[in-house]
Amino acid sequence: MTAVFCDVVGSTSLGQRLDPEALRLVMRRYFEEMRGVLEAHGGLVAKFIGDAVVGVFGVPRLHEDDALRAVRAADEMRNRLAELNRSLRAQFDVELEAHLGVCTGEVVLGADDEVVLGDVMNTAARLEQIAAPDEILIADDTHRLVRHAVTTEPVAGMELKGMRSRVTAWRLLAIDPTAEPLTREFDRPLVGRERELRLLRRAFERAVAERRCVLATVLGFPGIGKSRLALELAASVAGEAQVLVGHCRSYGEGITYWPVAEMVREAAGVNTYSGLARLLQAEPDGERVAGLVAAALGEPMVSEGGEETLWAVRRLVEALAAAGPLVLVFEDIHWAEPTLLTVIEHLAERIRERAVLLLCLARPELLDDRPSWGRGKVDGASLLLKSLSDSAAQQMLQERLEGRPIAPGVRTRIMQSAQGVPLFLEQMLALLEEHDSIGVEDVPPAISGLLSARLESLEQVDRALLEEASVEGERFHAGALAALAADAPASVSARLDGLEAREMIRPDDADIAGERGFRFAHVLIRDAAYERVPKVERAVLHERLAAWLEDHGTGDELVGYHLERAFRLLAELAPPDERAEALARRASRLLAAAGRRGQGRVDYPAAVNLLSRAVNLLPVDDRERLELLPDLAFLLGEQDVSSSLPLLTEAIQRARATGNRRVEWRSAMIRSRVLLYNDPSSRPAAEVLAEAERATEQLEALGDKRGVASALVVRADVHEMAGELSRCYELYRRTAALSAGGVRARALGYAGWGLCLGTTPANEVEVGCLELLEAAGESHVDRALVLTSVGWAQAMQGRLGEGTQASTAGRDAVVEHGTADWLGVATLACGYVALLCDDLVAAEREFARAAETFAAQGDRWYLAVAAVDRALVLCALGRHTEALAVAASSRAPTDAEWATKWSRVQGLVDACEGWLDTALAHADASVSAAQATEYTNYHAAALADRAGIRDRLGHVREAVADLKDARVLYERKGNLVDADRIRRRLEASARRVSSRSL
């Protein structure tokens, strides 16, 4: 609703100057004039408060241009007061000055459409009070709706009485009387309407070829592009025809023939009798036609002499078409008076021997009042404009962005909100210009007003049906509506058919057996309908819908969502009572059950969402909430460490306070694991390992298998960091046996990873990984990471094609079924296979991608591994300076694998710089670090690097010894590819020694 407050300045002093009866006459004149202006613009006088007139627009009937009507009314009230003052000066020797305030916003209506609550009235009153005499101040919400039609200047940062924050307002300087309710961008290329343009072009060509009058009607949802299509047709016939355009107005006096008046002004320059007479002077009966048309434009003959008016308008059109083809575009004929629609149909039926195209643009509502429109016309044509295709909408978005980048999430939000409606896309981009980003709840006010007005135009029973449907969501079912609505199912079905015909809803595939499915024609129609329902009623409808869905077996998540919404709505109105708390508990249990199923199928984002909502529905000291905290914290640790640790701390503290040892130990283990991956130096490894061993005993005694699994994972991670990979493998096998879902999948995958990294020969690694795949069964999730280890083992044995295929398949499965950190590990494996294939460029690319994945997750441990792996490849590519920077960017000083590789990088870089002594020291450190672990491949690689440095120092015998040791290690591991590379280096070294001897 938009409110207009207009108050007289200095009324007290006026009362002191005038006799009370004279004052009453003055004020009556003032009130009558102001009421007349408000009502002429479609407003309603809500009340008179002392000397103030309060007008409202949008009550009892909402219009899409209420804000513009209100501002125009305020401007005319100011102008009308100036006219009134001339009379008051002559009669009473007084003048009135007024100040005005205008504000738009949401209100709650009571009985008989009385405005009960809302800041709109308060803000409009405050603006009026601080406005200067003869000044109009417009609230910011109103300004956003009318800024295309007004000239203003900001009045920023005002403090209004009773308002919590400073208010921005705008001083009205001028208003464009011809501005449309919504501004449009028509200076861009037409997108996605080629077929529709061809149809209209054919209608024009038929009119020209057959010298007939053709009636063409374009129907479509507001903003769908009717006017844009007509403009394109006009451009396509330029030079072939005269095009005249007339707009039907939604309100006002003398609007019946308004479009004809616009066309006459465009054709003759005037709409007076003399101008028309000049235009028609060569026509038979031209003077009579001019008189009748001039009279019609003033509309004194609408009720009398109608047949003569029809004849005169037809003769006028025939005269205009005598010089050549004529196109008459009638905009918005859904607002046309019945008389004008009769005139248009008369022209279509009676014009002969003239090439005339009557192009009428309308919303589908036209057919409600005129169901036979266009039917039976020999030369009639009509088309219904649908939303743009996804590709056309994307093209339109790109053109309007003009190369400006936007975030993928913002792009998605714009496309989802616009849904192929050009106007909506333009408005969403305008909102983006204002705020730099768009949230899920952000809807441009112009769109909200437009859709709310469409809903307002429906019959009350249809509007109520859509409001009830909106509770289920964008998609809904006839059966659910029958359960929610008071009407019988047959009546509901019939009304849905009618709403489908009006392009408010569309058929949709039913996802509930035996139910007719529908969806809103536009998601924002659903949002507008939903917002119309009072929150108390919404809560009741959500609860009833949850019961219906539960009866139809739709699953915990959906039922839980509607119970959650019911609780949230009630909580917004008052502190939760017993009923609301019961709703919250039921919703929490259902959402938690759905979240755990999501965790089991490794849909971690969904699981986090569901468990977070389940937790937030319960009081902070609730026992069920405490049980959920470790699960939620574990999932958050997979995605966002910073939000995981506070939850774990809270869980541990509350578990200790309540004596819940099971939750305490499980939470402590999850916290230890999170810290291992993201802050490995925060605690000594021995301390973490000892705590995890105690936790294993305690949780086994408590019978908590999931808790035991979390403790085993921590122990496995500590052993992996120390390079004790056989223990790591054993612990992950135990974890897999105790677990399900994502924990089991990770345990199987990391067990295979431990085999690949450790001392187990590659052929036995492959066999072991195939056993892990067998243990995984048909679960794609469980098999995903194991496949990457299979590929790695195959590649080490020289079966490079098989290895590449298996590791890539594993990574693809992770992308489809896994989580972020799994993708990082799978990508690392693909990088190791690429190294075995001697594809250094591909390996560097894979390690860089893995590092990006780990960095996005906050996993510092594996980020350091990926960074140093990439640095080693960069050294091999000769990019030593870059290699050192990459390796130094991410450090994990407690990890044996990282320490080995970091020393290798330093040695290779120093050797490149010619600092061979320091290079050898780093190489010695790398060999020593690797020698203390089970990282067989890394130990061999460190020896091979040191051999190269020793060779450059002239220590040939020591270099050969390192190469032989490296070959032994590679052969023991079954890494035939790298063993063969060492063999070739040894042969080359032997040839060099032999050559020197000769």
Side-chain angles (χ1 to χ4, degrees), residues 241-462:
Q242 181 182 15
V243 180
L244 302 176
V245 181
H247 300 78
C248 298
R249 301 186 67 174
S250 59
Y251 75 96
E253 297 180 0
I255 63 172
T256 302
Y257 288 99
W258 185 271
V260 178
E262 286 188 310
M263 293 174 180
V264 168
R265 279 194 295 271
E266 192 173 352
V270 290
N271 61 352
T272 62
Y273 168 75
S274 59
L276 283 165
R278 287 194 299 273
L279 180 67
L280 299 167
Q281 60 186 350
E283 294 293 317
D285 299 318
E287 186 172 339
R288 182 171 170 232
V289 170
L292 287 169
V293 172
L297 298 183
E299 297 191 28
M301 300 181 64
V302 171
S303 58
E304 298 181 8
E307 290 298 322
E308 283 200 318
T309 302
L310 288 175
W311 170 82
V313 173
R314 174 168 59 84
R315 291 296 302 276
L316 170 64
V317 173
E318 288 172 340
L320 291 170
L326 178 66
V327 178
L328 302 181
V329 180
F330 291 88
E331 292 257 16
D332 297 325
I333 65 166
H334 49 276
W335 284 328
E337 296 290 328
T339 301
L340 179 63
L341 296 177
T342 300
V343 168
I344 295 172
E345 290 186 315
H346 174 79
L347 295 175
E349 292 168 354
R350 300 295 297 275
I351 290 179
R352 298 290 183 270
E353 300 301 321
R354 294 287 190 274
V356 179
L357 175 63
L358 303 175
L359 179 56
C360 297
L361 313 179
R363 298 176 187 175
E365 295 93 281
L366 169 70
L367 302 182
D368 292 342
D369 299 325
R370 206 86 167 191
S372 62
W373 177 261
R375 296 177 190 169
K377 305 294 185 292
V378 175
D379 291 303
S382 65
L383 62 94
L384 177 66
L385 278 191
K386 299 284 189 178
S387 299
L388 293 174
S389 67
D390 288 344
S391 59
Q394 288 282 7
Q395 180 184 344
M396 182 178 175
L397 176 60
Q398 282 300 111
E399 290 178 352
R400 279 155 175 75
L401 285 172
E402 296 178 334
R404 180 164 60 94
I406 59 173
V410 174
R411 177 185 291 273
T412 300
R413 170 63 180 153
I414 290 173
M415 294 299 295
Q416 288 175 343
S417 297
Q419 290 190 337
V421 180
L423 172 65
F424 290 5
L425 190 145
E426 292 169 4
Q427 291 290 320
M428 293 299 291
L429 282 174
L431 188 66
L432 180 62
E433 288 285 345
E434 287 183 31
H435 301 290
D436 296 327
S437 185
I438 299 176
V440 175
E441 302 298 329
D442 292 334
V443 179
I447 296 179
S448 297
L450 183 67
L451 296 177
S452 297
R454 282 204 79 200
L455 290 169
E456 193 78 29
S457 69
L458 299 174
E459 292 183 28
Q460 194 278 331
V461 287
D462 288 337

Side-chain angles (χ1 to χ4, degrees), residues 3-26:
V4 178
F5 272 67
C6 176
D7 193 14
V8 172
V9 178
S11 59
T12 302
S13 61
L14 189 65
Q16 294 172 351
R17 291 175 52 201
L18 291 177
D19 180 84
E21 292 188 22
L23 178 62
R24 186 180 65 175
L25 291 173
V26 169

Side-chain angles (χ1 to χ4, degrees), residues 824-900:
V825 171
T827 304
L828 279 179
C830 290
Y832 298 144
V833 172
L835 279 178
L836 290 165
C837 294
D838 205 25
D839 189 345
L840 296 179
V841 173
E844 192 271 333
R845 182 176 62 245
E846 299 290 9
F847 293 142
R849 288 174 177 171
E852 289 174 4
T853 303
F854 294 128
Q857 190 200 6
D859 185 339
R860 291 178 56 200
W861 178 8
Y862 270 114
L863 171 59
V865 171
V868 78
D869 279 330
R870 183 185 174 207
L872 287 168
V873 179
L874 290 171
C875 286
L877 289 169
R879 294 154 60 184
H880 294 83
T881 303
E882 185 181 353
L884 192 61
V886 167
S889 64
S890 304
R891 296 194 175 200
T894 62
D895 179 28
E897 178 183 1
W898 182 87
T900 298

